[in-house]
């Protein structure tokens, strides 16, 4: 292991606690339904119905949210859903725009990946749908196309 702090900071397999700037706290629970809806909207993500959010959040395999301690407001969230054994899907990663660029997303991803390392069995598949380029690769995520392609539809299209 190198003593170069920049190398350490970019090492995706570090076992340290997720680092957050002063004034933020990471909680190992998904956010409330209200915060979930608000954070998705603020981050420009597609809407989820209140019914869907209230049904879905309790089924989170592992989730985190970050709170701005000055306002006690959730400003970031990320979670894992799946079957708990063979498939894990990282989803709903969002940081409110006013709090982006401060390492909140990185701390949340460090927490999710740390949980996976400690809890997911060997051979499990971990996936995500990325809306940003160059962020998730530092944890080893790679594009799957052309070997496989992500597909989806909304329930109103069924």
């Amino acid at each position: 292991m190198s003593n170069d702090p920049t190398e350490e900071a970019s090492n995706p397999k570090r076992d340290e606690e997720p680092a957050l700037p002063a004034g933020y706290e990471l909680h190992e629970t998904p956010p409330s339904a209200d915060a979930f809806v608000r954070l998705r909207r603020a981050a420009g993500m597609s809407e989820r119905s209140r019914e869907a959010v209230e049904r879905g959040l309790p089924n989170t395999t592992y989730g985190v949210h970050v709170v701005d301690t000055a306002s006690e407001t959730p400003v970031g969230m990320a979670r894992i859903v799946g079957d708990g054994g063979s498939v894990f899907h990282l989803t709903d990663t969002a940081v409110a725009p006013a709090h982006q660029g401060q390492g909140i997303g990185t701390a949340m991803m460090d927490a999710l990946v740390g949980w996976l390392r400690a809890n997911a069995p060997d051979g499990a598949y971990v996936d995500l749908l990325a809306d940003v380029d160059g962020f998730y690769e530092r944890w080893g995520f790679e594009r799957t196309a052309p070997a496989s392609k992500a597909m989806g539809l909304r329930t109103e299209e069924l």
Side-chain angles (χ1 to χ4, degrees):
M1 180 125 151
S2 168
N3 289 331
D4 179 356
T6 58
E7 184 176 317
E8 176 94 13
S10 65
N11 181 357
K13 294 196 176 187
R14 61 190 182 271
D15 290 323
E16 302 166 8
E17 287 294 311
L20 281 170
Y24 295 97
E25 290 179 352
L26 186 134
H27 298 266
E28 291 185 286
T29 61
S32 69
D34 287 337
F36 180 95
V37 169
R38 181 182 52 77
L39 285 168
R40 283 189 65 88
R41 185 175 298 124
M45 299 167 73
S46 59
E47 298 282 328
R48 297 288 187 261
S49 73
R50 180 68 182 207
E51 178 187 4
V53 172
E54 289 176 351
R55 278 195 204 185
L57 283 177
N59 297 311
T60 299
T61 302
Y62 175 74
V64 298
H65 70 281
V66 171
V67 172
D68 175 345
T69 57
S71 65
E72 297 186 17
T73 303
V75 297
M77 66 178 180
R79 64 190 191 117
I80 300 170
V81 298
D83 65 12
S86 65
V87 177
F88 297 87
H89 178 72
L90 280 63
T91 189
D92 303 317
T93 303
V95 177
H99 301 271
Q100 291 176 1
Q102 300 183 59
I104 293 169
T106 298
M108 293 188 308
M109 278 299 297
D110 283 348
L112 296 185
V113 170
W115 185 91
L116 287 165
R117 285 192 184 110
N119 294 284
D122 288 345
Y125 186 72
V126 180
D127 68 0
L128 59 82
L129 297 174
D131 294 335
V132 294
D133 290 325
F135 180 71
Y136 299 100
E137 290 83 353
R138 69 183 94 167
W139 291 277
F141 288 92
E142 299 174 340
R143 294 185 185 278
T144 59
S148 60
K149 297 176 186 172
M151 296 184 176
L153 64 91
R154 300 252 179 242
T155 53
E156 57 272 13
E157 298 168 357
L158 292 174

